[in-house]
Amino acid sequence: MNKDIWLKTKFVDNNVPDWSCPHCEKGVLKVDTFKSEETALSRSWHGHEDWEPEFIRSTFVGSLICPLCREFIAFLGDGELEQHHYYNEYNGHYVEEMYSTFTPKYFYPTLQLFEINNNCPNEIKKVVDESFSLYWNDLSSCANKIRVSLELLMNEFKIKKTFIDKKRKRQRLSLHGRIEEFKKIKPEIAEFLLAIKWIGNSGSHVGTMEKIDILEAYELLELSLNKLYDDTEDKLRKLSKQINKRKGTLKR
């Protein structure tokens, strides 16, 4: 996963970041159509005595297309005017420029922030995919979805959900406790999952999440799912045994 690409959530005009196609995962999406309009509320501010161009707000709607597989993606979001200053070395003056920047809020189909291993159970894939759609507009909900994916992962490995306390009463085992149980069979991966869990917990506190936090969680989740479900090593181990057994190549 390329975190730098997914941190680029703003763009100018039609110069969108190098977002990858959610279908073929190889093509870089290009703008197909794009339209923006100033919002009614923003227009109503123009008559205010303290009005400045930076007060302008807009919404946009458009479409992206993959040049390789021709996948079509609809997207929409917000826009604003930003003021930038820079020094012009040719005339020795500072120059002020205003230009519109746009921040997407929704994509359909949603963009895939990392490639989910094909062998990963569908229920987990679905929840991770749902988290991808929330990345653009609700980081707290996104973090909570990632946390749900860990609960489902524990279910897949038959990690117990409850325990008997000292009073002989059955109690619900926390996600932290379940991951500690998981550590008994997959200690290295359990450490990754605990780190993801802490980020997921932070999603319950409004205003504490940043996009980099989510991307770090995705990085750990991608690695964990690959380690758990990538069967390439098993296939190669089986192949090497076959070659060693026959002591050479097959007759072709």
Side-chain angles (χ1 to χ4, degrees), residues 5-50:
I5 291 296
W6 302 116
L7 281 171
K8 296 175 182 177
T9 54
K10 284 189 176 184
F11 61 93
V12 179
D13 298 326
N14 291 343
N15 298 315
V16 297
D18 292 337
W19 295 321
S20 55
C21 173
H23 177 67
C24 70
E25 298 178 341
K26 296 177 181 177
V28 175
L29 298 174
K30 304 298 181 185
V31 173
D32 185 45
T33 62
F34 188 86
K35 181 181 180 181
S36 71
E37 292 286 347
E38 186 177 2
T39 67
L41 179 61
S42 178
R43 291 196 301 271
S44 72
W45 293 340
H46 283 246
H48 195 282
E49 60 181 8
D50 294 324

Side-chain angles (χ1 to χ4, degrees), residues 137-193:
N137 56 75
D138 191 340
L139 291 178
S140 292
S141 295
C142 178
N144 284 328
K145 280 290 183 183
I146 294 172
R147 195 179 190 282
V148 171
S149 75
L150 300 188
E151 292 279 10
L152 294 174
L153 190 58
M154 294 300 96
N155 294 348
E156 284 292 324
F157 281 85
K158 312 298 182 186
I159 304 300
K160 64 182 181 180
K161 299 180 182 180
T162 61
F163 70 100
I164 304 298
D165 66 12
K166 294 179 181 179
K167 296 180 179 180
R168 308 298 296 170
K169 290 185 178 180
R170 186 168 293 279
Q171 302 288 348
R172 180 180 177 275
L173 189 61
S174 67
L175 176 59
H176 188 102
R178 298 186 79 192
I179 296 174
E180 289 293 343
E181 289 293 318
F182 182 73
K183 188 182 288 187
K184 296 174 183 177
I185 57 173
K186 300 284 185 180
E188 179 188 355
I189 297 172
E191 290 298 321
F192 299 151
L193 301 186

Side-chain angles (χ1 to χ4, degrees), residues 128-140:
V128 175
D129 198 55
E130 289 170 354
S131 77
F132 290 159
S133 67
L134 292 166
Y135 172 77
W136 306 95
N137 56 75
D138 191 340
L139 291 178
S140 292

Side-chain angles (χ1 to χ4, degrees), residues 25 28 38 67 83 92 104 128 136 149 212 219 221 230 232 244:
E25 298 178 341
V28 175
E38 186 177 2
Q83 187 179 69
V128 175
W136 306 95
S149 75
I212 186 62
E219 220 171 20
L221 185 58
D230 188 352
T232 303
N244 288 331

Side-chain angles (χ1 to χ4, degrees), residues 101-117:
T101 61
F102 301 98
T103 305
K105 298 294 183 182
Y106 300 95
F107 292 86
Y108 188 80
T110 189
L111 303 188
Q112 303 294 296
L113 278 75
F114 68 84
E115 185 177 354
I116 305 173
N117 192 285

